[in-house]
């Protein structure tokens, strides 16, 4: 990355505190999960995402225990398990007690075989990388050995909303069912309400992360305001008018989203880059959020618990064309926050986590 060569002073060998990317605790013990990652040339986007995932307790337990080896899908996964094996090797390296600098070359090779768009050494978007990586890891351990044809018929609108949700979820997991789905996938409910007769029809879709608009260009907004912007009613009129099931004709409707099935790990993508403007620009707004008790109940129709705590953030600094990615993450074993900047790892405080560079936010559902 453009900043790596210049802006960091050389460390003296006597500076033992963070030598070799690990931290020495007061008692001389070396903490797992604090290894750094070598930058292979513009791969900070990948390193930032890996460190966020390396602090995702449910995923780390699955990999470190080798439980994943029982789930490897050799029938319809294009990678036949090679991607998750390469990923597990990197995570194990980062979790060795003597935190070291791990070389993720073999993982990068596996990722670009699965998703050729990540070949070469261009700066990429960490959210796109996360989506492709999770999809590839999921395919490698998909419990569905033979994928049935998708069912595309409408779900009966006469059954209850809860039953419609369950039917939509069943249709999803008959093709995609894995430990990754258990951890990361939730379900969005989209409601269409007829302005004439108030009839509501609902549809459900699975999501791996939520892309939220930032409703202000400058200053500070709360994550709640971003969720409000995401779930607010949108009027469908004119050419967009849908057909109302009850009126049997096209009607002006409102459409709105709510969270229905809440995932164990909620990943939120803050839409800092505007793709529609002629000159794509980056929003430098600070989005504030509670680190320990984000309650999404008001945006959710789910009867289950709805409070999350933040444990990792992927940051983007700089501009769209010359930027750098880093990560903050809370170690699931020590509960201490660390700052990950490629091969360099240092202790951090929770106070540093909220900034105008936060790009991907990782939350774990509190049990």
């Amino acid at each position: 990355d453009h900043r790596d060569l210049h802006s960091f002073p050389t460390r003296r060998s006597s500076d033992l505190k963070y030598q070799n990317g690990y931290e020495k605790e007061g008692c001389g013990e070396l903490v797992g999960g604090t290894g750094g990652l070598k930058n292979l040339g513009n791969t900070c986007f990948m390193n930032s995402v890996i460190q966020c995932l390396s602090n995702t307790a449910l995923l780390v337990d699955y990999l470190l225990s080798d439980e994943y080896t029982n789930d490897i899908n050799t029938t319809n996964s294009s990678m036949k398990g090679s991607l998750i094996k390469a990923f597990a090797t990197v995570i194990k390296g980062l979790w060795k007690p003597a935190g070291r600098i791990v070389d993720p070359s073999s993982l990068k090779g596996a990722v670009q075989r699965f998703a050729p768009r990540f070949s070469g050494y261009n700066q990429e978007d960490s959210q796109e990388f996360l989506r492709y990586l999770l999809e590839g890891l999921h395919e490698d351990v998909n419990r569905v050995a033979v994928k049935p044809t998708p069912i595309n018929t409408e779900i009966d609108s006469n059954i209850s909303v809860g039953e419609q949700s369950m039917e939509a979820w069943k249709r999803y997991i008959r093709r995609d069912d894995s430990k990754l789905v258990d951890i990361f996938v939730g379900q969005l409910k989209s409601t269409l309400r007829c302005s004439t007769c108030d009839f509501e029809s609902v549809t459900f879709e699975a999501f791996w992360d939520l892309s939220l608009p930032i409703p202000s260009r400058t200053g500070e907004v709360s994550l709640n305001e971003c969720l409000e912007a995401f779930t607010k009613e949108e009027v469908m009129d004119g050419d967009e008018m849908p057909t109302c099931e009850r009126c049997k004709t096209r009607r002006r409707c409102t459409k709105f989203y709510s969270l229905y099935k809440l995932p164990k790990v909620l990943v939120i993508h803050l839409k800092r880059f505007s793709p529609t403007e002629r000159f794509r620009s980056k929003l430098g707004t600070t989005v504030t959020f509670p680190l320990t008790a984000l309650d999404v109940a008001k945006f959710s129709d789910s009867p289950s618990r709805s409070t999350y705590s933040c444990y990792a953030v992927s940051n983007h600094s700089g501009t769209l064309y010359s930027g750098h990615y880093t990560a903050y993450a809370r170690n699931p074993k020590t509960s201490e926050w660390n700052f990950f900047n490629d091969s360099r790892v240092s202790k951090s405080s929770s106070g540093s986590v909220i900034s105008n560079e936060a790009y991907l936010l990782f939350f774990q559902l509190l049990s």
Side-chain angles (χ1 to χ4, degrees):
D1 299 347
H2 70 293
R3 309 195 317 171
D4 275 17
L5 301 172
H6 314 295
S7 54
F8 295 98
T10 328
R11 259 201 314 255
R12 299 187 310 281
S13 57
S14 60
D15 179 10
L16 273 175
K17 194 178 176 196
Y18 302 133
Q19 200 177 19
N20 302 334
Y22 66 69
E23 304 165 30
K24 273 190 184 283
E25 290 296 279
C27 54
E29 261 186 85
L30 300 172
V31 185
T34 54
L37 286 161
K38 186 177 173 189
N39 189 318
L40 310 172
N42 279 333
T43 53
C44 59
F45 69 92
M46 174 175 85
N47 291 348
S48 167
V49 164
I50 292 169
Q51 293 289 12
C52 292
L53 293 176
S54 176
N55 287 275
T56 301
L58 294 165
L59 181 60
V60 171
D61 291 347
Y62 179 61
L63 297 170
L64 296 189
S65 66
D66 283 335
E67 186 192 331
Y68 77 94
T69 56
N70 305 322
D71 297 337
I72 287 176
N73 182 326
T74 51
T75 56
N76 57 21
S77 167
S78 61
M79 300 297 295
K80 307 280 187 265
S82 64
L83 182 61
I84 199 160
K85 285 176 189 165
F87 184 67
T89 301
V90 168
I91 298 298
K92 285 176 180 177
L94 296 174
W95 274 91
K96 284 210 164 74
R100 60 200 45 202
I101 294 171
V102 176
D103 183 339
S105 297
S106 58
L107 174 59
K108 184 178 189 296
V111 168
Q112 61 198 36
R113 282 195 301 280
F114 174 73
R117 57 170 307 158
F118 295 108
S119 302
Y121 294 93
N122 296 326
Q123 178 65 276
E124 298 283 351
D125 180 273
S126 69
Q127 185 239 358
E128 286 178 16
F129 177 76
L130 175 68
R131 281 200 168 176
Y132 278 97
L133 177 61
L134 291 181
E135 184 191 330
L137 295 173
H138 152 69
E139 286 294 352
D140 264 356
V141 289
N142 195 345
R143 298 173 184 124
V144 179
V146 180
K147 282 202 178 186
T149 318
I151 302 171
N152 294 321
T153 53
E154 297 271 320
I155 293 173
D156 182 2
S157 58
N158 294 316
I159 59 176
S160 72
V161 169
E163 288 170 316
Q164 291 179 59
S165 154
M166 276 165 60
E167 174 58 27
W169 185 250
K170 266 198 300 221
R171 290 182 180 190
Y172 183 78
I173 61 168
R174 66 194 282 277
R175 290 173 54 84
D176 291 290
D177 183 14
S178 69
K179 185 73 169 185
L180 278 290
V181 170
D182 297 346
I183 297 171
F184 291 99
V185 180
Q187 192 183 45
L188 270 182
K189 173 184 159 197
S190 170
T191 305
L192 207 56
R193 183 187 291 135
C194 173
S195 301
T196 308
C197 74
D198 282 339
F199 178 78
E200 288 188 354
S201 63
V202 295
T203 49
F204 293 92
E205 59 185 274
F207 69 89
W208 287 78
D209 61 15
L210 287 181
S211 285
L212 301 187
I214 301 176
S216 157
R217 294 200 63 81
T218 51
E220 197 172 279
V221 296
S222 68
L223 187 58
N224 266 7
E225 289 172 282
C226 299
L227 282 159
E228 272 158 17
F230 177 76
T231 53
K232 78 165 190 280
E233 290 195 0
E234 176 194 346
V235 176
M236 305 190 76
D237 207 348
D239 292 344
E240 288 190 310
M241 278 199 300
T243 300
C244 168
E245 278 182 52
R246 187 184 284 160
C247 299
K248 303 285 187 243
T249 184
R250 291 180 69 196
R251 294 287 198 203
R252 182 174 183 269
C253 288
T254 56
K255 180 185 176 181
F256 54 95
Y257 283 114
S258 56
L259 307 179
Y260 200 80
K261 184 183 189 301
L262 295 174
K264 289 175 182 157
V265 168
L266 174 64
V267 181
I268 289 177
H269 163 232
L270 298 173
K271 290 161 91 169
R272 293 201 175 275
F273 301 111
S274 162
T276 50
E277 291 172 19
R278 186 164 157 228
F279 300 105
R280 285 186 67 181
S281 59
K282 182 183 168 188
L283 293 179
T285 315
T286 298
V287 178
T288 61
F289 53 92
L291 286 178
T292 51
L294 172 72
D295 190 357
V296 296
K298 66 181 279 198
F299 308 106
S300 166
D301 292 342
S302 167
S304 60
R305 57 184 191 275
S306 56
T307 307
Y308 286 89
S309 77
C310 178
Y311 68 87
V313 175
S314 168
N315 309 296
H316 180 275
S317 59
T319 65
L320 179 64
Y321 301 103
S322 70
H324 181 62
Y325 286 96
T326 55
Y328 287 107
R330 194 181 71 222
N331 186 296
K333 299 284 184 274
T334 66
S335 296
E336 290 190 333
W337 284 91
N338 293 300
F339 178 62
F340 298 91
N341 184 354
D342 290 328
S343 58
R344 291 172 298 278
V345 181
S346 53
K347 280 199 172 139
S348 172
S349 69
S350 58
S352 318
V353 175
I354 294 168
S355 77
N356 67 349
E357 297 183 345
Y359 184 52
L360 295 177
L361 314 176
F362 291 73
F363 292 90
Q364 180 159 348
L365 191 61
L366 297 173
S367 46

